[in-house]
Short mmCIF file of all heavy atoms in Angstrom, two decimals:
data_model
loop_
_atom_site.label_atom_id
_atom_site.label_comp_id
_atom_site.label_asym_id
_atom_site.label_seq_id
_atom_site.Cartn_x
_atom_site.Cartn_y
_atom_site.Cartn_z
N GLY K 392 -10.01 -1.86 -12.96
CA GLY K 392 -9.73 -0.44 -13.27
C GLY K 392 -8.19 -0.21 -13.28
O GLY K 392 -7.39 -1.17 -13.29
N GLY K 393 -7.84 1.04 -13.36
CA GLY K 393 -6.41 1.39 -13.31
C GLY K 393 -5.80 1.02 -11.96
O GLY K 393 -6.47 1.06 -10.94
N LEU K 394 -4.49 0.67 -11.98
CA LEU K 394 -3.81 0.25 -10.78
C LEU K 394 -2.44 0.89 -10.76
O LEU K 394 -1.72 0.89 -11.76
CB LEU K 394 -3.71 -1.29 -10.85
CG LEU K 394 -3.14 -1.97 -9.61
CD1 LEU K 394 -4.20 -1.98 -8.52
CD2 LEU K 394 -2.76 -3.48 -9.99
N MET K 395 -2.08 1.33 -9.58
CA MET K 395 -0.70 1.87 -9.39
C MET K 395 0.06 1.00 -8.39
O MET K 395 -0.46 0.69 -7.32
CB MET K 395 -0.68 3.28 -8.87
CG MET K 395 0.72 3.91 -8.91
SD MET K 395 0.89 5.56 -8.17
CE MET K 395 1.23 5.12 -6.48
N LEU K 396 1.23 0.54 -8.79
CA LEU K 396 2.12 -0.23 -7.90
C LEU K 396 3.20 0.71 -7.40
O LEU K 396 3.69 1.54 -8.10
CB LEU K 396 2.80 -1.40 -8.62
CG LEU K 396 1.81 -2.37 -9.29
CD1 LEU K 396 2.63 -3.43 -10.05
CD2 LEU K 396 0.94 -3.07 -8.28
N GLN K 397 3.56 0.56 -6.07
CA GLN K 397 4.58 1.38 -5.50
C GLN K 397 5.43 0.58 -4.57
O GLN K 397 5.02 -0.07 -3.67
CB GLN K 397 3.97 2.56 -4.68
CG GLN K 397 4.95 3.48 -4.04
CD GLN K 397 4.27 4.67 -3.39
OE1 GLN K 397 3.76 5.57 -4.13
NE2 GLN K 397 4.37 4.79 -2.11
N MET K 398 6.78 0.67 -4.85
CA MET K 398 7.79 -0.03 -4.08
C MET K 398 8.51 0.92 -3.16
O MET K 398 8.94 2.00 -3.57
CB MET K 398 8.79 -0.64 -5.02
CG MET K 398 9.94 -1.42 -4.35
SD MET K 398 9.31 -3.02 -3.74
CE MET K 398 10.67 -3.47 -2.70
N SER K 399 8.60 0.58 -1.89
CA SER K 399 9.32 1.42 -0.91
C SER K 399 10.35 0.55 -0.17
O SER K 399 10.17 -0.68 0.04
CB SER K 399 8.39 2.04 0.11
OG SER K 399 7.49 2.95 -0.52
N GLY K 400 11.40 1.19 0.36
CA GLY K 400 12.35 0.50 1.19
C GLY K 400 13.14 -0.62 0.54
O GLY K 400 13.61 -1.50 1.23
N ALA K 401 13.29 -0.57 -0.80
CA ALA K 401 13.95 -1.67 -1.49
C ALA K 401 15.43 -1.70 -1.16
O ALA K 401 16.10 -0.73 -1.07
CB ALA K 401 13.79 -1.50 -2.96
N THR K 402 15.96 -2.93 -0.94
CA THR K 402 17.40 -3.17 -0.84
C THR K 402 17.80 -3.79 -2.14
O THR K 402 17.23 -4.74 -2.61
CB THR K 402 17.65 -4.10 0.35
OG1 THR K 402 17.27 -3.50 1.58
CG2 THR K 402 19.17 -4.47 0.39
N TYR K 403 18.86 -3.17 -2.77
CA TYR K 403 19.25 -3.59 -4.14
C TYR K 403 20.72 -3.55 -4.35
O TYR K 403 21.44 -2.82 -3.58
CB TYR K 403 18.51 -2.77 -5.19
CG TYR K 403 18.91 -1.27 -5.10
CD1 TYR K 403 19.85 -0.70 -5.92
CD2 TYR K 403 18.22 -0.45 -4.17
CE1 TYR K 403 20.14 0.63 -5.79
CE2 TYR K 403 18.61 0.85 -4.03
CZ TYR K 403 19.55 1.44 -4.87
OH TYR K 403 19.89 2.77 -4.74
N VAL K 404 21.22 -4.33 -5.26
CA VAL K 404 22.60 -4.28 -5.68
C VAL K 404 22.79 -3.27 -6.75
O VAL K 404 22.36 -3.44 -7.87
CB VAL K 404 23.12 -5.66 -6.05
CG1 VAL K 404 24.58 -5.59 -6.47
CG2 VAL K 404 22.93 -6.72 -4.95
N ASP K 405 23.43 -2.17 -6.39
CA ASP K 405 23.65 -1.05 -7.40
C ASP K 405 24.52 -1.53 -8.54
O ASP K 405 25.65 -2.03 -8.32
CB ASP K 405 24.25 0.13 -6.65
CG ASP K 405 24.51 1.29 -7.61
OD1 ASP K 405 23.51 1.85 -8.04
OD2 ASP K 405 25.66 1.62 -7.84
N PRO K 406 24.08 -1.41 -9.79
CA PRO K 406 24.84 -1.91 -10.89
C PRO K 406 26.25 -1.33 -11.05
O PRO K 406 27.20 -2.04 -11.40
CB PRO K 406 23.98 -1.61 -12.12
CG PRO K 406 22.56 -1.53 -11.60
CD PRO K 406 22.72 -0.95 -10.21
N ALA K 407 26.38 -0.02 -10.87
CA ALA K 407 27.67 0.63 -11.13
C ALA K 407 28.69 0.38 -10.03
O ALA K 407 29.88 0.21 -10.31
CB ALA K 407 27.43 2.14 -11.35
N THR K 408 28.26 0.34 -8.79
CA THR K 408 29.23 0.18 -7.68
C THR K 408 29.29 -1.24 -7.17
O THR K 408 30.23 -1.57 -6.40
CB THR K 408 28.85 1.11 -6.49
OG1 THR K 408 27.56 0.68 -6.01
CG2 THR K 408 28.78 2.57 -6.98
N ARG K 409 28.30 -2.07 -7.52
CA ARG K 409 28.24 -3.44 -7.05
C ARG K 409 28.04 -3.49 -5.50
O ARG K 409 28.33 -4.52 -4.91
CB ARG K 409 29.38 -4.27 -7.48
CG ARG K 409 29.51 -4.50 -8.96
CD ARG K 409 28.39 -5.43 -9.49
NE ARG K 409 28.58 -5.73 -10.90
CZ ARG K 409 29.18 -6.85 -11.30
NH1 ARG K 409 29.68 -7.72 -10.46
NH2 ARG K 409 29.26 -7.10 -12.61
N THR K 410 27.65 -2.44 -4.90
CA THR K 410 27.36 -2.40 -3.49
C THR K 410 25.87 -2.52 -3.21
O THR K 410 25.05 -2.19 -4.07
CB THR K 410 27.89 -1.10 -2.86
OG1 THR K 410 27.20 0.02 -3.43
CG2 THR K 410 29.41 -0.92 -3.01
N THR K 411 25.50 -3.01 -2.03
CA THR K 411 24.14 -3.10 -1.66
C THR K 411 23.71 -1.83 -1.00
O THR K 411 24.29 -1.32 -0.04
CB THR K 411 23.95 -4.30 -0.59
OG1 THR K 411 24.37 -5.53 -1.24
CG2 THR K 411 22.50 -4.40 -0.20
#
Side-chain angles (χ1 to χ4, degrees):
L394 186 73
M395 191 187 88
L396 302 176
Q397 180 172 293
M398 179 74 193
S399 297
T402 298
Y403 60 99
V404 179
D405 179 66
T408 64
R409 294 290 185 95
T410 60
T411 299

